[in-house]
Amino acid sequence: MSTEYQPDVEKAQTTNEKAGNTVTLHGLDEGAADGTVHRNLKARHLQMIAIGGAIGTGLFVGAGGALATGGPLGIWLGYTIMGCIVYSMMIALGEMATLYPVSGAFVHYTARFMDPAFGFAVGWNYWYSYAITLPTEIVAAALVIDYWPGAQGISPAAWISIFIVVICSFNFFGVRAYGEAEFWFSLTKCTTVIGLLILGLIITCGGGPNHQTIGFRFWRADGPFQQLNGIPGSKGRFLAFWATLTQAAFSYLGTEIVALTAGEAANPRRNVPKAIKRVFYRILLFYVIGTLLMGMLVSPNNENLLNGSGVAASPWVIAIETAGIKVLPSIINSVVIISAFSAGNSDLYASSRTLYGLACDGKAPAVFRKCTKGGIPIWCVCLTACFGPLAYMTVSSGASNAFNYLSDLSSVTGLITWACILGAYLRFYYGCKAQGIDRSTFPYQAPGQPYLSWIGLIMLIIIIFFCGFENFLTDNWDTGSFLTDYIPVWVFIIFVVFWKFYKRTKWVSLSAIDFETGRRELDDMAEAEAEKEQMPTTWYGKLWAAIM
């Protein structure tokens, strides 16, 4: 790396050691006794994992609740603004993940550039949030099957068992099996969304079987905004929009998973930024255009949107059935099942690799660094897979309530993780300035910095702080909802304080940030991976490379 000024590495390491902040980085030596993960994810896998992280059941079903809450303009503004915040987070994460493509990704970055206590808190909270989300997605897939009459007599436990076995199989077969599964799952979701966008445009223009032109009818008849909780005037409209913004934030959770693949990606300094830079265009296509069409196709006061459940509450299904198209709702239901299944598959991968990253950073027991000859962090996958059977709790009504509270705790954790990613990047950015390091020499340089990161961080802090605001409205108090909204924040703080006292860590000063540990190994790896890369020579090969 050529820089204007080479930092005093020895001085920085000495300072960090005195503060208990020594950078620990295992998992880079393929000859280590514990083994290491393998770089078997190709560019096409990363592209589709990035897409899959942005397309979940929220886009097909969950967005209906946001439309009913915020109205057609409210949902569009909420998802558009949140999409910009996610973009600011992803490009910041992309610069760090490209320079340091290590296992654990943002767990390592928060520890390295902020404080090891933050890395500990982010890592363990993120691991729990995705471990508990695994059974949640399995349950969602099992319940959606009940849409078909022939499946209603079968116990959900049977479907839960099948999903647990298949999801665990993909992860125990190695990262290549996971990547291949996600490639086809995400390709199916992507194709379906594009098809729905085209169909939605046709229906709103009067091209459906009923030949009714919709246009902006519902914007005029019902108004562009809803009035939250019956609150009149601009205050009610603003609160409706803000509630939609919060719902949109939860829909985007998972976009950061692609960074966790950096430690197992082939030629990560080429493929990771390529995948992350395209997140913006996917957000623009799938969410910004998608929510605009939803607001045109379905009234926010539609009875099915307000009282329906599962796929019946999907704006797409409502619009298609209203237009008189009979077969497509079943097809959408199939894709929703695939989405939930894909999310469960990614949950097991993300949580197990987070635990592996914690072990590589010295923040989890060393036994979790153990990898098989196939590059599987075996004990990380085993421990995380144990959360899958929690899905059976939903078969019992009493246990189901307890399980729902446990899973709801995971939502805010994702927002806290995003805020820490942006905080780590700002420390990274200002650390480079303090030590005279030229960022233009890095493999990928995030645009619009540090302004986009500051905007994203401030917005996320505000959203986290007010995520449970509806509990404070008149006659709207819900103790369970309040606790699930704010307990994750206190758990995060407790984890930070615990590790600070246990390891005597201190906030890393800008001049003491260690930019060098692991760089030589990662640079050597990047050169070796680049040499293995075969550039396409045919026109169709070049076209595929441009897409993927």
Side-chain angles (χ1 to χ4, degrees):
M1 179 184 72
S2 62
T3 61
E4 297 174 5
Y5 164 71
Q6 291 294 336
D8 189 339
V9 179
E10 185 175 337
K11 179 181 177 182
Q13 290 178 339
T14 301
T15 304
N16 284 331
E17 285 170 8
K18 288 179 180 178
N21 295 356
T22 304
V23 174
T24 305
L25 191 57
H26 297 277
L28 298 180
D29 183 7
E30 294 182 3
D34 292 327
T36 186
V37 292
H38 295 174
R39 294 190 178 276
N40 288 330
L41 288 175
K42 301 183 183 300
R44 63 184 179 90
H45 295 141
L46 295 187
Q47 291 294 326
M48 285 302 174
I49 289 170
I51 293 175
I55 305 176
T57 53
L59 182 59
F60 296 107
V61 180
L67 176 59
T69 300
L73 182 56
I75 185 177
W76 183 79
L77 285 175
Y79 276 80
T80 301
I81 293 172
M82 200 64 226
C84 294
I85 295 171
V86 171
Y87 174 70
S88 72
M89 181 273 299
M90 287 300 292
I91 57 173
L93 179 58
E95 183 170 337
M96 294 185 293
T98 306
L99 189 62
Y100 300 102
V102 298
S103 297
F106 40 82
V107 176
H108 176 75
Y109 309 144
T110 49
R112 186 167 189 156
F113 304 124
M114 296 174 70
D115 186 319
F118 276 81
F120 176 82
V122 167
W124 281 106
N125 278 272
Y126 192 83
W127 171 76
Y128 166 78
S129 72
Y130 273 94
I132 198 66
T133 305
L134 167 63
T136 305
E137 297 294 353
I138 291 172
V139 170
L143 294 179
V144 168
I145 291 179
D146 279 349
Y147 176 82
W148 291 298
Q152 291 174 0
I154 302 174
S155 171
W159 302 117
I160 288 170
S161 300
I162 293 172
F163 289 140
I164 289 175
V165 170
V166 177
I167 287 173
C168 288
S169 297
F170 280 129
N171 279 269
F172 278 109
F173 284 150
V175 71
R176 183 170 291 174
Y178 161 75
E180 203 62 44
E182 281 304 295
F183 175 82
W184 292 106
F185 289 152
S186 297
L187 186 62
T188 302
K189 291 189 288 185
C190 188
T191 303
T192 303
V193 172
I194 292 173
L196 287 174
L197 294 179
I198 295 172
L199 179 63
L201 186 61
I202 292 172
I203 291 174
T204 195
C205 292
N210 60 8
H211 300 297
Q212 292 184 7
T213 302
I214 302 174
F216 286 90
R217 178 195 307 172
F218 300 121
W219 289 55
R220 294 190 295 269
D222 301 309
F225 290 98
Q226 295 284 74
Q227 304 290 148
L228 185 69
N229 213 36
I231 299 172
S234 57
K235 180 181 178 181
R237 290 191 291 272
F238 174 78
L239 291 177
F241 152 72
W242 188 262
T244 305
L245 184 68
T246 305
Q247 289 175 279
F250 297 140
S251 295
Y252 283 114
L253 292 178
T255 51
E256 75 287 342
I257 288 178
V258 67
L260 289 172
T261 66
E264 295 174 89
N267 198 1
R269 289 191 170 167
R270 174 182 178 272
N271 294 328
V272 170
K274 186 178 177 183
I276 286 177
K277 282 189 289 187
R278 294 179 180 178
V279 167
F280 176 74
Y281 302 106
R282 299 183 189 110
I283 289 173
L284 178 69
L285 176 64
F286 298 140
Y287 280 103
V288 177
I289 298 178
T291 53
L292 177 64
L293 283 171
M294 284 181 202
M296 295 170 68
L297 291 167
V298 180
S299 166
N301 299 315
N302 184 282
E303 192 65 27
N304 287 334
L305 204 65
L306 298 172
N307 301 316
S309 61
V311 178
S314 167
W316 302 108
V317 170
I318 294 170
I320 290 168
E321 289 180 338
T322 303
I325 304 172
K326 303 297 183 184
V327 181
L328 283 177
S330 287
I331 296 175
I332 294 174
N333 194 61
S334 301
V335 177
V336 171
I337 293 171
I338 291 174
S339 295
F341 191 85
S342 170
N345 193 34
S346 292
D347 292 341
L348 181 50
Y349 174 84
S351 52
S352 63
R353 283 352 183 241
T354 300
L355 182 55
Y356 177 68
L358 281 165
C360 289
D361 265 13
K363 295 177 179 62
V367 66
F368 291 115
R369 292 204 301 264
K370 177 64 178 176
C371 293
T372 65
K373 291 182 179 179
I376 305 168
I378 187 66
W379 299 122
C380 296
V381 178
C382 286
L383 177 62
T384 307
C386 290
F387 280 73
L390 290 177
Y392 293 114
M393 292 175 66
T394 58
V395 178
S396 165
S397 59
S400 176
N401 291 332
F403 173 73
N404 289 336
Y405 279 121
L406 288 173
S407 59
D408 287 344
L409 289 172
S410 66
S411 300
V412 177
T413 301
L415 302 183
I416 295 172
T417 301
W418 287 356
C420 287
I421 289 171
L422 287 169
Y425 178 79
L426 287 168
R427 298 291 299 170
F428 169 89
Y429 175 88
Y430 289 114
C432 287
K433 291 193 72 174
Q435 298 185 27
I437 299 174
D438 183 5
R439 290 173 52 245
S440 65
T441 64
F442 293 169
Y444 169 65
Q445 185 177 357
Q449 300 301 334
Y451 311 108
L452 289 181
S453 290
W454 274 117
I455 293 170
L457 177 60
I458 292 169
M459 286 297 298
L460 284 171
I461 291 172
I462 294 172
I463 290 169
I464 292 169
F465 188 79
F466 289 104
C467 66
F469 80 94
E470 290 184 63
N471 288 288
F472 299 98
L473 300 179
T474 305
D475 299 326
N476 215 39
W477 177 260
D478 184 329
T479 303
S481 175
F482 173 79
L483 291 175
T484 55
D485 284 333
Y486 292 107
I487 278 182
V489 178
W490 288 106
V491 170
F492 179 81
I493 293 171
I494 291 169
F495 272 57
V496 171
V497 173
F498 164 75
W499 198 251
K500 284 189 75 67
F501 278 95
Y502 180 62
K503 287 291 186 178
R504 304 291 181 184
T505 67
K506 293 184 179 179
W507 188 260
V508 183
S509 67
L510 296 178
S511 60
I513 289 177
D514 180 2
F515 287 98
E516 298 303 313
T517 299
R519 280 293 304 277
R520 180 177 58 80
E521 294 88 342
L522 291 168
D523 289 342
D524 291 343
M525 174 275 300
E527 290 180 11
E529 290 291 324
E531 289 175 2
K532 290 190 291 185
E533 190 86 16
Q534 294 182 350
M535 300 305 294
T537 55
T538 60
W539 68 268
Y540 50 85
K542 293 178 180 178
L543 178 61
W544 179 256
I547 297 173
M548 292 294 168

